[in-house]
Amino acid sequence: MADTSRFRCLSPLFQSLLFKDDDCPTNTSIEQKAVEESVLKCYRTFRSSLDIYPDMPFLDREMHTDFLTKGLQTLSSSYECLDSSRPWLCYWILHSLELLEVIIPEERALAIANFLGKCQDPEGGFGGGPMQFPHLAPTYAAVNALCILANVTNKVFDVINREKLYNYLMRMKTKEGAFKMHDGGEVDIRGVYCAVSVARLTNILTKELSDGVADFITRCQTYEGGFSGYPGLEAHGGYTFCGIAALVLLNHTERCDLRSLLRWTANRQTQLEGGFQGRTNKLVDGCYSFWQGATFPIVHMIMCTDDDDQNLSAERWMFHQEALQEYILICCQHSHGGLIDKPGKARDHYHTCYCLSGLSVAQHFIGGSLSNEIIIGNPQNRLRPVQPVYNLSLDSVMMAQKYFGSLKLPSGAANKC
Amino acid sequence: MSECNVDDAASNEAWVPFKDRPEWRDLKPIPQDDGPDPVVQIAYSEQFREVYDYFRAIIAADEKSERALSLTKEAAELNPANYSVWNYRRNILQELNKDLKEELKYISQVIEDNPKNYQVWHHRRVIVEWLEDVTDELKFTEKILKEDAKNYHAWQHRQWCIQQFSLWDQELDYVDRLLKEDLRNNSAWNQRHFIIKNTTGYTDEIIKKELKYSQDFIRKAPNNESAWNYMKGVLQERKLFDFPGVLEFCHELYSKQIRSPFLIACMIDCYEEMLELGKPKKEETLQKATQLCNELAEEHDTLRREYWQYIARSLASKYGADVSGDS
Ligand SMILES: [Zn+2]
């Protein structure tokens, strides 16, 4: 008989964690219960396979790598709906591969960089594909992808037209301190994070670019504690990550109510499933493993510099790292490779990237000079640690800092922030 | 952030290839330039490839015509997330001075088919902005929210319309209706906060009313986090303690053997505030607070053990002589 006591999902009281609807069923609770049923089924199957394979759960690196490397070359016509997200596809795949420690051959790296160059607009910024208008989201994805490729050869950085990129970012900036996603496009906190992140990585974050941006971000923190996409809207995992990560990049973390942010984020881990939901009373989804999960190392990092320091754990983040790993490994691996939102959903590269990124956050505690690894299942499940603010490996961030750190600011930009 | 189902590709049977469209003969299509060694290469259908080859040609020629307009419709149908297409379509609409009411009808249909897409909602917003007419907007968003009561884009559009055109009057009734249908609809609670904050504001009188409103919902379902979060949000700018009803309310539920983690968390927040304000019986209050943290960590909310232990430690180190919140 296998040792089941190591797993939270197999503990005797696990059933007591089922959603409590207080005898007042509504749409929300009915949908929640259906998801819990499907998750329980995964955990039961896992229990029975544990007798045969005692080092379960097992991250199927080979199959995921296969799914990813195939996608890096060709994708079926069902991906036409992502035809304006091709730099994203590059980033999702490359980042997943760097977490899995798969090495990219140099000619492949140059081919990807060359393709991203084709997506760059002559007036700066990157579009969703060749000859598409520049957009902040693919711009973020392209710059991040190039940072990963720089580990193979830093020639790839030559692709980025820094001066024009700066002009593009300035052109997208709005009066309220936010950014339009593209010319004539929508304004929300994603744009802020994308703009600030690429500006930091390429060392063009000037005072005029960052002026007033923290004010806009602050207006997005809601009464619940998380951040919304735009002032007034509901707190949401993806936007919360964008908000707090951007404040770190802008050196304005004092503008955030950390205590309420921490409370809200801690409450987003779901009792039974162990994964994260994006908003209060919504369903668990594998991609929030990163969007919510990464907020913990970021908040920890901020608090480390406060006087609260001695109360912080020296071993763990403030969420249940084992529970999240169990959810990702047992419920979110697609049988043909790739990772998913929740049981029964289709696989895609987006969920593969953010499930793996969240898994990495859950495996590695790194607080200043302290570090602690918690690896659920087979020891080979270990992924590379991530830098949570950029969602890149530590090496990829360093490549960018080394390369762009010494370059001068674009002309016309007077003072550095 | 990525809302598209890569499993079902739409197919259009009635599609006419461009070689059978004499009206396009004068334009030379521009193929996509992926470079010599393409990556993440999508196996486009013939239809997709042709439509976008012509779309590129139209942009290159800066052509703003009826046929260009109908081409953007074809392109948008094949990939509604292509922001370049929508952007260019807007340029044509303006140039040709098109009937925007018609456009609104068209985009309504597209949104109903793709309710979780950023671009289509943004297109609608720009059209409404140009029209300066918000007649259908509340009804339309209600229709979408009927299918998915938490659709973020629909709420965003609704808030923008309300704010832009001062449509505050009926909104609390709508929220009330939604909460009666599903008291766990967090988007509706958030809307309630948005409306009050931007109209009457949270005055003493409104706070009292809203406390009662949320507490009635909490009594019905004490494990519903949304109502607890809203109740605390109501008191955000104030002190929980200015309204002594809150702690009493919590005690009442606690004495009925209710152990919702959100109830216990709220009690901890009340005690923390008493400590912050330097109320008497400091040691006793601290002891109660850390005791509740431990109850959550060990029994009622073990998933969040790390968090609750941290809260206990930080309360103890801030307000106590003895640092032993961690049992
Ligand atoms: Zn997801």
Side-chain angles (χ1 to χ4, degrees):
Chain A
M1 189 68 193
D3 170 24
T4 58
S5 66
R6 292 172 292 148
F7 299 103
R8 191 190 78 106
C9 65
L10 303 182
S11 64
L13 290 173
F14 194 59
Q15 293 273 344
S16 74
L17 300 175
L18 283 164
F19 190 80
K20 294 181 181 65
D21 74 357
D22 299 308
D23 291 321
C24 178
T26 63
N27 266 347
T28 300
S29 65
I30 292 163
E31 285 174 13
Q32 171 64 23
K33 284 180 173 212
V35 169
E36 290 183 352
E37 240 350 282
S38 70
V39 165
L40 273 179
K41 214 155 123 194
C42 289
Y43 286 145
R44 272 189 227 116
T45 310
F46 166 66
R47 185 192 194 120
S48 51
S49 51
L50 204 54
D51 289 327
I52 316 163
Y53 308 104
D55 66 348
M56 291 267 276
F58 173 71
L59 178 71
D60 202 328
R61 307 177 82 97
E62 221 172 293
M63 239 172 20
H64 300 320
T65 303
D66 203 47
F67 170 66
L68 291 160
T69 44
K70 272 203 189 108
L72 198 49
Q73 294 159 34
T74 50
L75 299 153
S76 76
S77 65
S78 64
Y79 281 84
E80 284 171 351
C81 58
L82 287 173
D83 188 48
S84 293
S85 302
R86 290 177 70 200
W88 272 122
L89 285 161
C90 293
Y91 165 67
W92 294 331
I93 293 173
L94 289 174
H95 182 52
S96 300
L97 291 174
E98 78 166 341
L99 292 177
L100 291 163
E101 299 185 83
V102 176
I103 293 174
I104 310 279
E106 184 168 343
E107 82 258 41
R108 192 106 204 107
L110 290 170
I112 300 167
N114 190 33
F115 168 73
L116 292 170
K118 293 271 175 197
C119 297
Q120 190 170 217
D121 190 83
E123 293 308 310
F126 293 78
M131 297 153 95
Q132 295 185 28
F133 300 150
H135 186 295
L136 279 173
T139 298
Y140 165 82
V143 170
N144 265 14
L146 290 167
C147 291
I148 300 170
L149 296 172
N151 288 289
V152 184
T153 161
N154 71 5
K155 271 189 271 178
V156 300
F157 280 139
D158 295 340
V159 166
I160 302 175
N161 187 336
R162 246 170 111 247
E163 299 246 342
K164 297 278 189 190
L165 175 61
Y166 181 76
N167 296 343
Y168 167 66
L169 296 181
M170 282 307 292
R171 198 168 82 235
M172 292 304 108
K173 201 175 169 192
T174 72
K175 268 189 258 149
E176 58 186 341
F179 292 84
K180 288 178 283 196
M181 297 306 285
H182 58 96
D183 274 312
E186 71 274 18
V187 175
D188 61 48
I189 206 169
R190 281 175 313 153
V192 170
Y193 168 66
C194 292
V196 171
S197 176
V198 300
R200 256 284 178 238
L201 283 170
T202 59
N203 190 28
I204 54 173
L205 188 60
T206 60
K207 191 173 176 308
E208 54 182 336
L209 189 61
S210 59
D211 245 1
V213 177
D215 295 329
F216 176 80
I217 300 173
T218 311
R219 288 172 58 216
C220 292
Q221 189 167 21
T222 84
Y223 69 87
E224 290 196 277
F227 290 74
S228 58
Y230 194 81
L233 290 166
E234 185 183 2
H236 176 289
Y239 299 130
T240 297
F241 170 80
C242 290
I244 190 64
L247 283 178
V248 170
L249 294 167
L250 292 163
N251 289 323
H252 272 305
T253 55
E254 83 288 352
R255 302 292 299 274
C256 170
D257 179 349
L258 277 182
R259 260 184 117 70
S260 73
L261 170 63
L262 184 59
R263 168 73 59 87
W264 179 81
T265 316
N267 274 330
R268 300 285 61 77
Q269 193 167 21
T270 57
Q271 283 288 2
L272 183 105
E273 307 91 302
F276 283 94
Q277 61 190 180
R279 301 180 245 163
T280 307
N281 274 328
K282 289 270 286 174
L283 302 172
V284 70
D285 176 346
C287 66
Y288 293 113
S289 306
F290 178 78
W291 300 123
Q292 306 283 18
T295 298
F296 293 92
I298 293 175
V299 168
H300 195 101
M301 202 162 74
I302 300 168
M303 285 179 159
C304 261
T305 53
D306 293 351
D307 48 351
D308 229 9
D309 202 359
Q310 82 276 8
N311 299 313
L312 290 172
S313 167
E315 293 167 344
R316 286 169 173 279
W317 306 128
M318 274 185 257
F319 71 96
H320 204 301
Q321 290 165 253
E322 291 87 342
L324 179 61
Q325 293 185 46
E326 287 175 16
Y327 177 69
I328 297 171
L329 291 168
I330 298 167
C331 305
C332 295
Q333 294 195 76
H334 191 276
S335 55
H336 300 308
L339 289 99
I340 58 175
D341 160 349
K342 58 173 76 59
K345 292 272 181 176
R347 61 183 175 164
D348 59 54
H349 301 90
Y350 164 82
H351 283 94
T352 303
C353 171
Y354 291 104
C355 281
L356 290 176
S357 305
L359 181 60
S360 168
V361 170
Q363 289 177 337
H364 302 278
F365 172 87
I366 307 165
S369 57
L370 303 163
S371 66
N372 183 31
E373 283 187 8
I374 302 169
I375 313 285
I376 290 294
N378 190 310
Q380 284 173 27
N381 293 350
R382 183 187 185 277
L383 296 171
R384 253 168 114 173
V386 294
Q387 206 288 6
V389 173
Y390 299 105
N391 199 17
L392 288 168
S393 73
L394 305 171
D395 288 342
S396 298
V397 176
M398 243 157 47
M399 294 309 299
Q401 283 167 346
K402 239 172 45 197
Y403 185 89
F404 294 107
S406 58
L407 299 184
K408 276 199 299 216
L409 286 173
S411 51
N415 32 9
K416 192 167 158 183
C417 105
Chain B
M1 291 197 178
S2 159
E3 292 288 357
C4 113
N5 189 354
V6 292
D7 265 2
D8 55 57
S11 68
N12 192 340
E13 287 153 36
W15 185 69
V16 181
F18 278 74
K19 66 173 168 48
D20 300 332
R21 301 188 195 189
E23 74 275 21
W24 285 98
R25 237 163 247 166
D26 62 298
L27 198 70
K28 196 171 160 346
I30 300 179
Q32 177 161 277
D33 175 17
D34 267 13
D37 198 358
V39 296
V40 291
Q41 201 180 12
I42 299 169
Y44 302 118
S45 66
E46 205 40 49
Q47 179 183 2
F48 192 98
R49 188 187 310 274
E50 271 212 313
V51 167
Y52 276 95
D53 286 352
Y54 277 89
F55 177 65
R56 277 183 284 272
I58 283 224
I59 292 202
D62 197 27
E63 176 181 324
K64 297 188 178 100
S65 61
E66 284 295 337
R67 69 172 186 181
L69 188 65
S70 78
L71 185 67
T72 58
K73 201 168 177 176
E74 277 188 72
E77 195 171 315
L78 290 166
N79 177 18
N82 190 314
Y83 54 90
S84 305
V85 169
W86 289 111
N87 205 61
Y88 199 70
R89 182 174 175 85
R90 286 193 288 275
N91 293 345
I92 303 174
L93 288 170
Q94 272 188 313
E95 181 86 12
L96 302 186
N97 222 339
K98 297 298 290 185
D99 177 4
L100 297 175
K101 283 268 184 196
E102 274 306 308
E103 186 67 6
L104 203 59
K105 249 190 245 163
Y106 160 63
I107 197 65
S108 298
Q109 192 51 54
V110 180
I111 291 176
E112 280 175 48
D113 296 339
N114 305 276
K116 288 189 172 180
N117 170 305
Y118 282 94
Q119 286 73 34
V120 297
W121 281 101
H122 181 63
H123 189 69
R124 185 178 188 97
R125 170 163 155 179
V126 175
I127 301 302
V128 171
E129 223 164 359
W130 286 350
L131 273 170
E132 291 184 36
D133 177 359
V134 78
T135 323
D136 299 330
E137 297 315 288
L138 294 187
K139 228 193 297 162
F140 178 74
T141 47
E142 271 172 50
K143 190 170 172 193
I144 299 294
L145 291 170
K146 217 170 165 58
E147 293 301 310
D148 173 9
K150 300 169 184 176
N151 181 315
Y152 208 86
H153 302 282
W155 282 111
Q156 180 159 14
H157 185 68
R158 197 173 171 92
Q159 286 200 352
W160 176 79
C161 292
I162 289 174
Q163 212 149 23
Q164 210 66 16
F165 299 91
S166 286
L167 306 174
W168 308 96
D169 292 358
Q170 313 292 315
E171 193 63 2
L172 274 187
D173 296 336
Y174 176 57
V175 166
D176 199 41
R177 236 164 48 228
L178 288 181
L179 290 177
K180 282 192 175 117
E181 273 165 39
D182 184 349
L183 48 80
R184 298 182 182 88
N185 181 347
N186 199 62
S187 306
W189 285 104
N190 183 78
Q191 186 75 343
R192 191 169 186 89
H193 192 91
F194 169 76
I195 297 299
I196 294 180
K197 206 174 155 198
N198 285 287
T199 51
T200 56
Y202 282 101
T203 62
D204 282 8
E205 196 190 338
I206 298 287
I207 290 180
K208 261 187 216 150
K209 215 174 107 215
E210 290 305 299
L211 284 180
K212 182 169 180 325
Y213 186 86
S214 46
Q215 289 171 0
D216 287 346
F217 275 104
I218 291 172
R219 282 200 178 87
K220 264 186 237 162
N223 283 288
N224 172 21
E225 184 186 353
S226 294
W228 285 102
N229 288 358
Y230 179 78
M231 187 182 86
K232 273 198 264 177
V234 166
L235 294 164
Q236 199 176 37
E237 322 275 295
R238 307 304 191 83
K239 294 289 168 196
L240 295 167
F241 216 71
D242 284 346
F243 294 84
V246 177
L247 190 54
E248 275 75 2
F249 170 72
C250 292
H251 280 144
E252 176 205 320
L253 298 186
Y254 195 85
S255 67
K256 287 181 188 156
Q257 299 312 310
I258 290 167
R259 292 296 179 271
S260 154
F262 311 113
L263 162 64
I264 302 178
C266 186
M267 293 167 77
I268 294 170
D269 291 338
C270 289
Y271 291 135
E272 179 177 3
E273 200 177 278
M274 289 163 69
L275 290 166
E276 218 174 278
L277 294 173
K279 300 277 176 189
K281 298 196 197 161
K282 187 175 143 193
E283 267 164 54
E284 199 187 314
T285 308
L286 176 61
Q287 212 259 324
K288 279 184 194 159
T290 52
Q291 172 60 35
L292 288 172
C293 287
N294 292 331
E295 258 182 51
L296 285 171
E298 303 306 327
E299 198 177 345
H300 305 297
D301 199 15
T302 56
L303 182 76
R304 275 166 273 279
R305 180 176 292 145
E306 278 301 320
Y307 172 75
W308 290 118
Q309 286 178 346
Y310 162 77
I311 296 295
R313 283 196 299 272
S314 96
L315 285 174
S317 79
K318 201 162 167 196
Y319 301 110
D322 131 64
V323 189
S324 59
D326 195 353
S327 61

